[in-house]
Every structure is written in structure tokens, then in C-alpha cells.
């Protein structure tokens, strides 16, 4: 059988994203990205029918939400639609386009809230009337930003009030409340601290987070709305708020040594208890906070992390008596699901499949849990596990026919990085690997840097695509090493904070040592080792080629940062940033030495090896001026480089036709410099 992977197979992969249970717990509706266009699909949990496509979008489906009245709301190509429980179109609510991924049903299923950023809209399913309300500022709805750490867009449990996050003209974030008629009744004040996510605890209480300077602390605030008998109209002085909110700082979390970058989240359990995920003991675990008794008790512990991926969080059972979460308790580079019983304080493992099991969601009846599973030979698929029998069932199969048999299981290795730290990495080898041959090799660098690569497809579609590309490169005669350099998740806060005052320094050494590890292998051609990466990985690629120009023979930079100081100024101008730079010890003028050291442009005169750079002009994470400056500098130096830009493309290229152009260029570049 031909084991060589074709580029068309890599490009034909589809990527699973969000999924939601039907109210009767019989179906799962999910989003599947095929070549950049995301459509909604439905699959029966009982296996009575194969998955079927619900929508036929031109650009994509960006949101799906069920109501308690068995109506499914979707945002399709920027417009809002409602489907029936038989997945038939009932009504198109908007036609003008521009609507975003934030939608929310009221608890009784009567009212649907949605936004285009400039307006809040409330659709009444009984009267079919859309009440359009001008928000107090731009409603944040999915745009990459440093100014808001997760955003709010939610009804109170009784449906009487609506909560949302907005941004004013000065890029400062606020929380605001309307009543169920869309009239504004409260807004928060501008905070010197960075505002984070807010959640309803009861009909009259909210909990939200404020981030301290450099993110070294997080303050959780319990905000209580007074009875309506105490409300008054203050519009004569231009005040929106109709009441004086009562605030109580219930919990402050801090990072030791002011290193910043703490991970945490909060989920209300009931009116008296909150579930916190935080790294207070040095690893990310779960804690319960009692609002009445004002005490925090640790629920899970150990030298592992109860975090499936960067944005992962626990899912409460419908009865609020248990929660399910993903953890690397069984192996540092794998993830399994565990259930914690709040009533008995007991923990049980729910899944046993390698490698990646994340994003668990309880069914409404509490009997099953849907989750994302991926392994070395299977892209992310939707699975469901029966809670009583612990039996798991695969519901979707999106893999191209025959591709799984061509994929190799990457080998987990550990090498020494900077400061003699252990660095995990995965080594991809060709199917017909011969230890007596000499192979060209490539170091692959992930972005983030708060990510962790596994020996499998990834929960993020971007990294799933690069996992497939690394398999493709191995199939074409390369050894590829995927390194989990310092700064990533899965290894505890000390490892994650290893970038403190050392960005572009120790992380770069981690990658340089990955190249040196490859050169030490008897089956690697030590004169033919290259490096490539995306985003932060592109940034480290540029550092490797400028600070250590003799280590790699060539590199590919995809949307990497060339000048960190310029990027930071752009971020503040574009999005606002009020907590300071986490690992740089302060702003540019406070530590210009560190900002200079962290910028590849500082070492540009050293670049003497071929470089290929690629970026989309619509990149919202790294400004396109980074590529412009890079090209300008390297052209002036006469350095060997090539730059490819893709009009309107995103940070991690979205469209299949972009990849159809980019991947052959990347492979041709490696072939030229590593095989000739």
C-alpha cells in the first residue's frame, strides 16, 4: 500500500468546532469547517441516522444555540435564522448581514438576543418583533483583543435582565445591563484594571474578574443588584444606572514573584457556591468557593493540570452536583476526562482513549457527555460517553478515506532546553524510516506560546492542520520535531512563567537545542536542519535565524513578530491594553533593554540564511506592518528572503485556496534548501 501522503489529503481535512445538545438530549448539532466554510450538522446520539448537513452557507455559520422551546438559532453568513426541532428553516430574522457570533436565548425561550456590534437586537418569537437598542459602546463579539479577557452576553436566569460587555471610544471595557425590554438600567465604571468575564450567580447577582497590573493578580467581584424599590431615575444628570450596585471583593488570586500570566476561570454552581479553576498551588486545578462562609477549598490536586487546552473549562451537570473536566493526570502530553462529584468529593476517570479528550458537555438529561476526541491517526471527532456505563461511542467520521492508514504515531522524546529544563517534543518519521540513512530535518514551533502539542491532531483547527502538514513532510522524507518549549500549558506555572523577563531568550534556546538534538541523532544530516513556525512560532523562527544564524540552514516565518515594541504599540492603538505586558516587566519605556532583546529586528544584521515569510493582510493578531518592516530591513541588508502576502487572509489562514498556494511554496522551499 502506498504510504505517501498527498497534499490533497492534507487540504481535504475538515475541522470540528462548537457543538450543542438538543433539549431532548437525542441529537448533537455541531459546526464543521470544510475549506474555510463552516456549516451546521446534526447527528443522532443513538446512532439511528448518519450525520446530516443542516445549512449551506457561503461564508459560514458562526453561532448555534438551542432555546428551551426547541428552536435552534443560527448565525449564517452574518444573518440570524431560526430552525425548528426537525431542522427545517422557520424564519430568517435579519437580511442586512454583519451579525456576529454572540447570540443568547432567554430562559423561557421567548426572546433571542444578538448583535452586529453597533446594535443590540431582541427578537420576540411570539410577536416576531425585533427591538433594536443602541448599546452604550461597541459590543465585543469575537474579535481578537487584549482589552477584554472573555466577554459577557447573557440573560439573567429569570430572563428579566440582559448583561453584555462593551468598549467605549477610548478602548476601555465596561459591563452593562438592560431590562427585558431593552432599556438600559446599569453600567459599570471605567476600571484601571483589565475587565474580564462576568457570570450570573442569581437573578440579582453577578461575579466578574478584574486583572491587576501585569496580570499578577485577579480580583473576583460579587456585584449585587438592589431591589427595584430602591431604583431611581438619574437621567437628569446623564447617568444610565438606575441603582447603586453593591460590590464585594470575594477572592484575590496572586502570582508569586510578580511573574504574571495567571490562568483562572469561574463558573457559578448555585447561589452560594462558585467553581474556580486556577493555578494557585502551581498547577491548574479546581476549587470551590463558598460565598456565605467566604472560604476557598481545593477539590483537585497533583503535579498535573486539569486543563484540556488554553480556553478549556469544566462543565457542570444539569443537577449541579458534578462537574466534568479534561486533565493530563494520566500522562503529561495526553488528556482524559474526569468527573468530580461535589456531594461525595470523589473523582472518577471517564475516558481511556489516547491521546486527546477535551471539551466535555453534559446532556440536558444528565445521562451522557459529549466530547472532542483526537489521536495520532484521527482528526478531531465528536464522541459521546454514557455516564452510567462509561461506554464511549464515536458519532462523526470526517477523515478522508485512506488517510488514517498513512499517518505515523509520533515518538515522544525529551531533550534539554535552556537552564537544563526538560522539554517534551514529538518526532515525526517517514513510514519507511531507515535508521542507517541520513535525513534532512525540521523543527516545528507552535504559537501562543500558551499551547501544548500532543502526539495527535489538536483541538485547535490551526494546529490540527500543522499536525497534518508535519505528517506530510515526514511522508516526503523529512524528520520533523514538534517542540513544547517553555511558556506552554500542561507542565505547571513555573514552566509557563519561564518566559518572565526572558522572552526571545530562553524560549529561543529551547528551539535551538531542539535543532541540536536533531543533529545529534545518527540518522539526521546535521547540515540540513531547518526551522519553521506560526505566530509566536514565527517570532521564534526569526529569533533563531538572527541570534543563532549558524544553527539552521533555512526558516519559514508565518505571521511572526519582527519588532515586538512596534507590535505592542499597534496592539494598544488597535485594541487597548490596560494590564501591561505580562512577561516584559512593564511597558517599553520602563524596560527598553528587555524589549530590545525580545525583538528579532535587534539582531537583523546577523541573518544570513534563507527565509520565507507568509502572512495575511487581514491578520488581526499580528499587524501586517511586521511583514512590511521585515521585507524593508532584509532588502536593505541584501539578505536572501522571500515574502508572500495573501489579501484579506486571517492570522491562521482560513481558506483552502490560500493553503493550496502556501503549502506547495513551503514544501518547495524546504526541498530547495534541505534536499539539494
Amino acid at each position: 500500500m502506498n504510504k505517501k501522503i498527498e497534499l490533497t489529503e492534507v487540504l481535504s481535512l475538515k475541522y470540528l468546532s462548537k457543538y450543542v445538545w438538543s433539549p431532548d438530549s437525542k441529537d448533537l448539532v455541531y459546526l464543521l469547517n470544510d475549506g474555510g466554510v463552516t456549516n451546521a450538522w446534526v447527528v443522532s446520539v443513538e446512532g439511528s441516522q448518519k450525520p446530516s448537513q443542516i445549512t449551506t452557507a457561503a461564508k459560514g455559520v458562526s453561532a448555534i444555540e438551542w432555546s428551551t422551546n426547541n428552536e435552534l438559532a443560527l448565525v449564517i453568513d452574518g444573518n440570524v435564522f431560526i430552525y425548528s426541532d426537525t431542522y427545517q428553516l422557520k424564519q430568517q430574522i435579519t437580511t442586512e448581514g454583519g451579525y456576529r457570533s454572540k447570540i443568547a436565548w432567554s430562559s423561557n425561550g421567548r426572546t433571542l438576543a444578538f448583535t452586529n456590534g453597533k446594535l443590540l437586537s431582541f427578537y420576540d418569537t411570539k410577536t416576531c418583533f425585533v427591538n433594536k437598542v443602541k448599546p452604550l459602546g461597541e459590543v465585543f463579539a469575537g474579535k481578537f483583543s487584549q482589552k477584554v479577557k472573555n466577554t459577557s452576553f447573557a440573560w439573567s436566569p429569570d430572563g428579566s435582565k440582559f448583561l453584555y460587555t462593551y468598549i467605549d471610544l477610548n478602548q476601555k471595557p465596561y459591563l452593562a445591563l438592560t431590562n427585558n425590554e431593552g432599556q438600559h438600567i446599569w453600567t459599570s465604571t471605567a476600571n484601571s484594571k483589565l475587565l474580564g468575564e462576568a457570570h450570573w450567580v442569581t437573578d440579582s447577582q453577578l461575579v466578574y474578574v478584574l486583572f491587576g497590573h501585569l496580570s499578577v493578580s485577579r480580583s473576583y467581584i460579587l456585584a449585587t443588584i438592589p431591589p427595584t424599590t430602591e431604583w431611581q431615575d438619574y437621567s437628569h444628570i446623564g447617568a444610565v444606572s438606575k441603582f447603586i450596585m453593591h460590590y464585594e471583593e470575594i477572592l484575590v488570586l496572586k502570582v508569586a514573584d510578580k511573574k504574571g500570566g495567571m490562568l483562572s476561570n469561574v463558573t457559578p454552581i448555585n447561589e452560594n457556591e462558585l467553581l474556580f479553576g486556577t493555578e494557585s498551588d502551581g498547577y491548574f486545578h479546581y476549587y470551590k468557593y463558598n460565598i456565605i462562609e467566604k472560604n476557598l477549598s481545593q477539590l483537585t490536586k497533583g503535579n498535573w493540570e486539569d486543563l484540556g487546552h488554553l480556553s478549556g473549562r469544566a462543565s457542570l451537570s444539569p443537577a449541579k452536583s458534578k462537574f466534568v473536566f479534561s486533565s493530563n493526570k494520566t500522562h503529561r502530553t495526553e488528556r482524559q476526562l474526569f468527573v468530580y462529584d461535589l456531594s461525595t468529593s470523589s473523582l472518577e476517570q471517564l475516558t481511556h482513549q489516547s491521546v486527546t479528550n477535551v471539551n466535555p458537555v453534559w446532556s440536558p438529561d444528565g445521562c451522557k457527555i459529549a466530547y472532542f476526541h483526537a489521536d495520532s491517526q484521527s482528526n478531531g471527532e465528536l464522541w459521546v460517553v454514557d455516564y452510567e456505563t462509561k461506554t464511549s461511542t464515536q458519532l462523526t467520521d470526517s477523515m478522508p478515506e485512506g488517510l488514517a492508514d498513512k499517518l505515523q504515531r509520533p515518538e515522544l522524546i525529551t531533550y534539554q532546553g535552556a537552564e537544563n529544563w526538560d522539554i517534551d517534543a514529538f518526532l515525526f518519521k517517514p513510514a519507511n524510516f531507515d535508521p542507517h540513512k541520513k535525513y534532512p530535518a525540521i523543527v516545528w514551533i507552535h504559537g501562543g506560546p500558551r499551547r501544548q502539542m500532543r502526539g495527535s491532531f489538536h483541538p485547535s483547527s490551526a494546529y490540527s492542520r500543522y499536525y497534518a502538514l508535519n505528517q506530510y513532510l515526514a511522508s516526503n522524507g523529512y524528520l520533523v520535531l514538534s517542540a513544547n518549549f517553555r511558556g506552554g500549558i500542561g507542565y505547571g506555572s513555573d514552566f509557563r512563567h519561564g518566559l518572565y523577563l526572558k522572552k526571545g531568550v530562553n524560549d529561543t534556546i529551547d528551539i535551538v537545542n531542539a535543532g541540536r538534538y536533531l543533529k545529534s541523532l545518527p540518522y539526521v544530516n546535521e547540515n540540513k536542519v531547518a526551522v519553521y513556525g506560526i505566530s509566536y512560532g514565527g517570532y521564534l523562527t526569526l529569533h533563531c535565524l538572527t541570534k543563532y544564524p549558524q544553527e539552521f540552514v533555512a526558516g519559514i516565518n508565518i505571521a511572526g513578530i519582527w519588532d515586538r515594541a512596534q507590535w505592542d504599540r499597534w496592539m494598544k492603538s488597535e485594541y487597548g491594553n490596560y494590564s501591561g505586558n505580562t512577561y516584559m516587566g512593564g511597558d517599553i519605556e520602563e524596560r527598553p533593554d528587555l524589549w530590545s532583546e525580545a525583538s528579532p529586528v535587534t539582531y537583523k544584521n546577523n541573518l544570513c540564511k534563507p527565509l520565507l515569510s507568509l502572512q495575511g493582510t487581514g491578520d488581526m493578531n499580528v499587524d501586517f506592518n511586521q511583514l512590511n518592516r521585515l521585507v524593508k530591513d532584509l532588502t536593505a541588508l541584501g539578505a536572501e528572503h522571500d515574502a508572500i502576502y495573501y489579501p484579506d487572509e486571517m492570522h491562521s489562514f482560513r481558506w483552502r485556496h490560500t493553503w493550496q498556494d502556501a503549502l506547495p511554496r513551503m514544501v518547495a522551499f524546504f526541498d530547495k534548501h534541505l534536499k539539494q
Side-chain angles (χ1 to χ4, degrees), residues 230-472:
E230 298 180 19
W231 295 15
Q232 296 186 41
D233 185 356
Y234 297 104
S235 60
H236 62 285
I237 58 169
V240 171
S241 300
K242 298 185 180 299
F243 51 81
I244 300 172
M245 185 79 82
H246 177 264
Y247 302 97
E248 178 185 1
E249 186 178 66
I250 59 173
L251 183 64
V252 178
L253 302 174
K254 295 183 178 180
V255 180
D257 301 323
K258 298 183 178 180
K259 291 184 178 180
M262 168 177 269
L263 300 178
S264 72
N265 58 50
V266 60
T267 302
I269 300 173
N270 52 51
E271 62 182 11
N272 296 324
E273 295 176 316
L274 304 173
L275 180 67
F276 280 97
T278 181
E279 56 184 36
S280 294
D281 71 348
Y283 292 87
F284 189 93
H285 291 302
Y286 285 99
Y287 299 73
K288 183 173 66 174
Y289 181 82
N290 189 295
I291 296 173
I292 305 301
E293 299 176 2
K294 304 187 187 308
N295 69 308
L296 186 70
S297 55
Q298 187 167 2
L299 305 180
T300 64
K301 61 182 65 176
N303 59 345
W304 54 81
E305 298 208 293
D306 299 326
L307 187 67
H309 54 91
L310 186 60
S311 59
R313 63 193 308 150
S315 173
L316 281 170
S317 65
K320 307 295 181 69
S321 59
K322 303 176 180 69
F323 64 92
V324 59
F325 60 95
S326 183
S327 172
N328 66 349
K329 178 180 180 180
T330 58
H331 193 280
R332 63 187 185 275
T333 62
E334 298 195 1
R335 295 296 187 279
Q336 298 294 344
L337 299 184
F338 292 82
V339 172
Y340 187 94
D341 191 314
L342 290 163
S343 59
T344 63
S345 300
S346 60
L347 180 71
E348 60 179 331
Q349 185 172 339
L350 196 59
T351 60
H352 298 271
Q353 308 150 274
S354 63
V355 175
T356 298
N357 303 283
V358 295
N359 299 345
V361 182
W362 286 92
S363 60
D365 62 10
C367 295
K368 294 180 172 62
I369 297 170
Y371 64 99
F372 174 107
H373 168 74
D375 56 41
S376 61
Q377 295 178 294
S378 175
N379 193 10
E381 302 292 355
L382 187 57
W383 285 65
V384 66
V385 57
D386 185 286
Y387 179 66
E388 291 299 323
T389 66
K390 308 301 186 288
T391 303
S392 291
T393 304
Q394 183 174 349
L395 299 180
T396 66
D397 184 2
S398 62
M399 286 289 288
E401 185 176 356
L403 177 58
D405 294 332
K406 300 179 181 181
L407 300 175
Q408 304 303 305
R409 185 187 299 272
E411 176 187 348
L412 174 63
I413 63 96
T414 301
Y415 67 92
Q416 300 299 297
E419 303 173 311
N420 293 320
W421 284 20
D422 287 341
I423 305 295
D424 281 342
F426 288 94
L427 184 62
F428 295 75
K429 296 178 180 178
N432 57 349
F433 174 71
D434 181 352
H436 302 292
K437 289 179 61 176
K438 290 281 190 178
Y439 290 88
I442 302 167
V443 176
W444 149 248
I445 319 173
H446 67 74
R450 291 186 172 185
R451 304 288 186 270
Q452 186 191 42
M453 300 299 102
R454 301 95 189 265
S456 73
F457 285 92
H458 198 272
S460 161
S461 61
Y463 296 121
S464 271
R465 185 177 288 111
Y466 282 103
Y467 175 85
L469 176 57
N470 289 336
Q471 289 273 4
Y472 173 78

Side-chain angles (χ1 to χ4, degrees), residues 7-12 34-35 465 614 646 649 653-667:
L7 199 56
T8 53
E9 294 177 304
V10 173
L11 292 169
S12 64
D34 184 0
R465 185 177 288 111
L614 306 96
Y646 295 100
E649 257 294 7
F653 305 147
R654 172 181 178 179
W655 300 106
R656 180 173 286 139
H657 59 75
T658 301
W659 287 108
Q660 286 172 335
D661 182 85
L663 292 188
R665 290 180 186 272
M666 295 167 63
V667 173

Side-chain angles (χ1 to χ4, degrees), residues 50 157 219 321 394 412 500 531 648:
K50 292 183 178 180
S219 301
S321 59
Q394 183 174 349
L412 174 63
Y500 182 64
V531 61
D648 303 323

Side-chain angles (χ1 to χ4, degrees), residues 437-634:
K437 289 179 61 176
K438 290 281 190 178
Y439 290 88
I442 302 167
V443 176
W444 149 248
I445 319 173
H446 67 74
R450 291 186 172 185
R451 304 288 186 270
Q452 186 191 42
M453 300 299 102
R454 301 95 189 265
S456 73
F457 285 92
H458 198 272
S460 161
S461 61
Y463 296 121
S464 271
R465 185 177 288 111
Y466 282 103
Y467 175 85
L469 176 57
N470 289 336
Q471 289 273 4
Y472 173 78
L473 290 169
S475 170
N476 281 269
Y478 292 100
L479 291 180
V480 183
L481 190 66
S482 173
N484 281 319
F485 58 95
R486 69 193 60 213
I489 65 170
Y491 303 97
S493 60
D494 286 346
F495 187 87
R496 194 157 45 249
H497 300 330
L499 300 178
Y500 182 64
L501 306 185
K502 293 290 184 179
K503 273 202 171 184
V505 181
N506 286 348
D507 45 4
T508 302
I509 296 174
D510 288 346
I511 300 304
V512 168
N513 284 7
R516 292 171 179 170
Y517 169 82
L518 286 171
K519 294 173 189 178
S520 73
L521 299 175
Y523 41 80
V524 169
N525 184 337
E526 63 180 7
N527 297 314
K528 297 292 184 179
V529 179
V531 61
Y532 87 113
I534 180 175
S535 191
Y536 200 92
Y539 164 69
L540 289 186
T541 295
L542 295 172
H543 260 305
C544 288
L545 295 182
T546 55
K547 294 182 78 172
Y548 299 89
Q550 302 308 316
E551 294 292 340
F552 298 99
V553 299
I556 298 178
N557 153 50
I558 307 165
I561 296 172
W562 181 238
D563 181 349
R564 283 202 64 88
Q566 187 274 329
W567 177 79
D568 187 76
R569 292 187 179 101
W570 171 77
M571 287 295 292
K572 289 181 180 179
S573 172
E574 187 73 10
Y575 301 118
N577 186 332
Y578 302 102
S579 66
N581 190 284
T582 303
Y583 290 129
M584 299 300 289
D587 289 332
I588 299 164
E589 302 303 329
E590 293 179 83
R591 292 303 304 264
D593 57 333
L594 295 181
W595 284 90
S596 176
E597 189 173 43
S599 297
V601 68
T602 301
Y603 310 95
K604 63 183 179 181
N605 291 335
N606 297 334
L607 196 146
C608 58
K609 299 297 173 61
L611 171 67
L612 172 64
S613 296
L614 306 96
Q615 189 172 2
T617 64
D619 192 331
M620 293 190 296
N621 297 34
V622 175
D623 60 310
F624 191 69
N625 278 331
Q626 291 289 324
L627 184 58
N628 285 340
R629 171 76 184 279
L630 173 66
V631 170
K632 180 180 178 180
D633 287 344
L634 297 189

Side-chain angles (χ1 to χ4, degrees), residues 122-176:
F122 300 95
Y123 174 72
D124 189 310
T125 58
K126 300 298 182 183
T127 65
C128 296
F129 175 71
V130 178
N131 181 20
K132 295 184 177 181
V133 177
K134 185 176 180 180
L136 300 177
E138 183 178 359
V139 179
F140 184 88
K143 189 177 181 183
F144 177 89
S145 177
Q146 296 297 305
K147 62 187 172 232
V148 178
K149 302 286 188 179
N150 297 323
T151 57
S152 306
F153 200 82
W155 292 94
S156 60
D158 65 359
S160 65
K161 293 173 283 293
F162 186 76
L163 168 71
Y164 70 94
T165 302
Y166 72 92
I167 308 300
D168 72 3
L169 295 177
N170 296 316
Q171 304 278 359
K172 288 197 173 183
Y174 299 77
L175 295 172

Side-chain angles (χ1 to χ4, degrees), residues 19-22 26-30 41-43 45 370 382 395:
Y19 39 90
V20 293
W21 285 94
S22 60
K26 293 182 178 179
D27 296 337
L28 279 158
V29 178
Y30 60 97
W41 289 66
V42 61
V43 61
V45 176
L382 187 57
L395 299 180

